[in-house]
Amino acid sequence: MLRYFSREKTLFHLLIAGCVLRIMVFLVMNASNPDQHHEVLRFIKEFHRLPRIRELFLATHPPFYYLVALPFYWFDDPVSLKLTQLLSLLISTFNLYLIYKLHQKLVADVLVRNLAFLIAAFNPTFLAYSLYVSNDTMAFLMGTGILYLIYLYVNNPTSQTEIFLAIVTGLALLTKTTFLPFIPLVVLVVLLMRWKSSPAKADVVISLVAFVSIVFFLGSYKFIENKHYEHKFFLHNLDFFPLNHQATYKGIENFINFNLWDLITFPGEFNDDHATRYAYFLTFYATFWYKHIDFENNLNLGNYTSFKYIGSLIYIFGLLPTLTFFGGFFIKIKDSILTVWDMLWGKGFSSTGLYQVFLNAVFTLSFLAVFGAGIKYDGWSFFHGRFLGHVMVALLFIMAVGFSYLKKLSTPLFNISAYSLIIASSLHVIYFVVEAVWEVIGG
């Protein structure tokens, strides 16, 4: 099996399989998730304007996705929403292709590269949340777009790439406020690259001001609206529509509880008594590897029948790849500190090193921002694997670092972790195929 994953062409096979799986899920999965993003589209169509903050539950979201989706929704069936969902399918497949192209450039070891890409191709949370009528699918693409352009920019810092980067960063901020942690990091990369390549420091200042101006012009709409109507730049819908039933905080238990056995025993039965409701990291684990939240969509065979125990197997086989990821994460933390130290003290500048520091930093800040919001608003729904979708490239790279380290450390350990990820990904494919067939013949 590992011999197959050691082939160059395997990555392309995984790309095709991932696209085919997305098409299959698109055909059977309902377009809406519990957040009901189509209500924003309905409002725009009915009133010919964007909703103000207090008018809809999701009106605090920036509008870019809704404006792009509106032409599809205008001619769509407001119940099935399949035409609007088609946009999500197009975005999802294009995003997977961009990840495929960038992942090829970032990971030299073919075996490790192919193993890590399994997550982008088949992970159920990343796949499902890229196919809803939701701004998540656009956010996933924007995150990949920024990481792709940063890669091009640090290797060839042209003005054209810099302008494209500013535009995509601004549009990302116009898509979802989860991109706020990106902004200081992107600006810092532009500053460093300009400082390194331009002898005239005035040019550095002018370029940086132009870059920030483009980002601000494109991405600031929702923040300005917030300030105008509510006198605050940063607002969340839970500031106006609190979901009291989501309360989860119990103190230190939230941070240390990792009751994997409870998750294995009841893999798809999220309720008030389940361990994941009061365990932050367990909830991330549960919602990343499987459809743990039963009401997310109509694919319910794995929630209410014995088929749910495929989730138990996925959680078992997902554990070692998760530990491999954390190994890669801590390795890159150490490497990032050394790289920054070398750059600060003039021991050498590496575009590859800078990009890897950026990947690690953007993943870390994005995770901390979501985690912090979950604590602030005391809501279990923040601790969800979908919030890692816009940094999927960074996640794959860190996973590849973990696998590379294991490969050098111990062949048996590497093989066990590799086969665990292969089995978990195969179970993901089986899960979706069985759910799709059930929807067609008896759902």
Side-chain angles (χ1 to χ4, degrees), residues 9 15 57 72 95-96 102 137 152 186 192-193 211 219 247 254 257 306 366 372 383 404 415 421:
K9 61 183 179 181
L15 170 67
F57 180 70
F72 292 80
N95 185 37
L96 187 63
L102 183 53
T137 186
L152 297 178
V186 173
L192 288 173
M193 296 306 298
F211 185 90
N254 295 84
N257 180 3
S306 295
S366 296
F383 305 100
S404 296
N415 289 341
L421 181 56

Side-chain angles (χ1 to χ4, degrees), residues 108-343:
D109 188 308
V110 175
L111 173 57
V112 167
R113 178 200 304 162
N114 292 337
L115 288 171
F117 190 73
L118 286 168
I119 296 174
F122 306 125
N123 178 269
T125 300
F126 184 63
L127 191 154
Y129 273 88
S130 70
L131 292 177
Y132 292 125
V133 173
S134 164
N135 59 0
D136 281 322
T137 186
M138 183 68 78
F140 294 173
L141 176 62
M142 287 296 170
T144 303
I146 292 173
L147 297 179
Y148 200 111
L149 287 169
I150 287 284
Y151 175 84
L152 297 178
Y153 183 68
V154 298
N155 286 285
N156 185 22
T158 65
S159 296
Q160 184 182 38
T161 305
E162 190 172 291
I163 292 171
F164 281 136
L165 177 60
I167 292 171
V168 173
T169 303
L171 292 178
L173 202 55
L174 194 64
T175 301
K176 209 165 185 183
T177 54
T178 49
F179 285 100
L180 280 171
F182 276 60
I183 305 304
L185 296 174
V186 173
V187 171
L188 183 59
V189 168
V190 173
L191 173 62
L192 288 173
M193 296 306 298
R194 277 290 182 178
W195 193 272
K196 174 177 174 290
S197 62
S198 177
K201 303 314 173 190
D203 291 344
V204 175
V205 175
I206 292 171
S207 297
L208 199 63
V209 169
F211 185 90
V212 172
S213 297
I214 293 172
V215 173
F216 179 82
F217 176 77
L218 291 174
S220 62
Y221 167 80
K222 184 53 66 174
F223 306 105
I224 293 174
E225 183 191 64
N226 290 346
K227 184 65 175 177
H228 177 74
Y229 288 108
E230 301 293 336
H231 311 295
K232 290 183 179 180
F233 285 112
F234 305 106
L235 292 168
H236 193 275
N237 49 12
L238 296 187
D239 288 318
F240 308 103
F241 307 98
L243 300 177
N244 295 324
H245 66 279
Q246 282 204 6
T248 62
Y249 185 70
K250 284 190 172 185
I252 192 66
E253 176 185 344
N254 295 84
F255 298 91
I256 64 174
N257 180 3
F258 198 84
N259 190 343
L260 186 61
W261 178 250
D262 192 37
L263 191 59
I264 292 170
T265 308
F266 304 102
E269 299 178 25
F270 181 81
N271 55 53
D272 288 345
D273 298 324
H274 200 284
T276 49
R277 190 175 182 98
Y278 307 101
Y280 295 152
F281 295 105
L282 186 64
T283 303
F284 262 116
Y285 183 83
T287 55
F288 180 81
W289 285 105
Y290 185 62
K291 184 199 165 187
H292 178 59
I293 311 298
D294 55 344
F295 51 81
E296 284 183 342
N297 55 49
N298 60 305
L299 305 181
N300 290 324
L301 189 66
N303 293 108
Y304 304 125
T305 72
S306 295
F307 184 57
K308 67 184 179 183
Y309 291 112
I310 193 173
S312 303
L313 293 174
I314 290 170
Y315 288 138
I316 291 170
F317 287 106
L319 185 60
L320 278 179
T322 300
L323 295 175
T324 301
F325 170 84
F326 278 110
F329 178 74
F330 289 116
I331 289 169
K332 291 315 298 178
I333 288 288
K334 181 200 71 173
D335 290 348
S336 295
I337 292 172
L338 294 176
T339 300
V340 171
W341 178 269
D342 288 344
M343 287 193 293

Side-chain angles (χ1 to χ4, degrees), residues 393-410:
V393 169
L395 190 153
L396 298 186
F397 174 74
I398 294 169
M399 178 67 83
V401 171
F403 271 121
S404 296
Y405 176 75
L406 269 188
K407 193 176 181 184
K408 295 176 183 176
L409 179 69
S410 167

